[in-house]
């Protein structure tokens, strides 16, 4: 509720949309320029996997599961939780101003997700963990 009010106060209603739960968000992500996920903690973030399937570049915090998804800046941009808002804004601006770099990151991230995070691979890993 606070963020919705802030959106209105800053007159950003035409640029910020509070959509709620979306069943087919993966398809919608394919049309986005960039996803920003600034979580304090993550296991394996499904929203970022969906971004990867869609080939959408990501800026995310350097926490837990995000470290597994983004092994280098070629796959996505990781920022520190303690990084300043201005520094994160700068990282965002750099990607938004360079569409070819954004595209390259999206393509590499998509390949990584398709190669390393498929249902078959997850089932195989679980079987190995539980010696099935």
């Amino acid at each position: 509720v606070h963020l919705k009010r802030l959106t209105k106060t800053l007159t950003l209603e035409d640029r910020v949309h509070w959509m709620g739960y979306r069943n087919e968000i993966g398809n919608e992500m394919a049309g986005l320029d960039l996803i920003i996920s600034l979580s304090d903690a993550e296991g394996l973030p499904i929203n970022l996997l969906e971004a990867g399937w869609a080939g959408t570049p990501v800026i995310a915090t350097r926490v837990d599961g995000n470290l597994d998804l983004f092994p280098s800046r070629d796959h996505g941009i990781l920022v520190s939780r303690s990084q300043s808002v201005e520094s994160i804004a700068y990282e965002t601006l750099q990607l938004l101003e360079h569409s070819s770099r954004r595209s390259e990151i999206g393509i590499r991230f998509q390949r990584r997700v398709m190669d390393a995070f498929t249902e078959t691979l997850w089932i195989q890993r679980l079987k190995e963990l539980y010696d099935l």
Side-chain angles (χ1 to χ4, degrees):
V1 174
H2 169 71
L3 292 176
K4 286 182 181 180
R5 274 185 268 156
L6 184 59
T7 301
K8 187 171 184 161
T9 300
L10 297 173
T11 63
L12 294 173
E13 301 97 336
D14 62 329
R15 300 180 77 183
V16 176
H17 305 278
W18 299 96
M19 306 297 282
Y21 176 78
R22 311 290 288 185
N23 193 32
E24 297 292 326
I25 192 68
N27 294 332
E28 294 176 26
M29 283 187 180
L32 300 178
D33 292 326
L34 177 67
I35 300 279
I36 300 174
S37 177
L38 302 178
S39 302
D40 287 335
E42 285 290 354
L44 183 64
I46 300 302
N47 65 320
L48 299 186
L49 281 173
E50 290 171 331
W53 289 319
T56 304
V58 171
I59 293 178
T61 41
R62 188 178 287 113
V63 294
D64 310 321
N66 292 348
L67 296 171
D68 295 327
L69 284 175
F70 307 102
S72 75
R73 287 180 67 87
D74 290 334
H75 299 87
I77 306 300
L78 291 178
V79 296
S80 171
R81 290 185 348 197
S82 62
Q83 212 165 316
S84 72
V85 172
E86 293 82 8
S87 176
I88 295 170
Y90 178 79
E91 293 276 6
T92 302
L93 183 60
Q94 290 302 301
L95 273 185
L96 291 175
E97 287 183 335
H98 297 95
S99 61
S100 62
R101 172 85 172 119
R102 207 170 52 244
S103 178
E104 290 168 7
I105 288 173
I107 290 167
R108 284 191 188 106
F109 183 39
Q110 185 178 47
R111 284 186 196 136
R112 173 153 177 72
V113 168
M114 296 298 207
D115 290 345
F117 296 94
T118 64
E119 178 182 6
T120 302
L121 286 173
W122 277 108
I123 291 171
Q124 179 183 338
R125 287 180 190 141
L126 285 173
K127 285 180 179 178
E128 290 169 2
L129 282 171
Y130 292 102
D131 291 320
L132 298 175

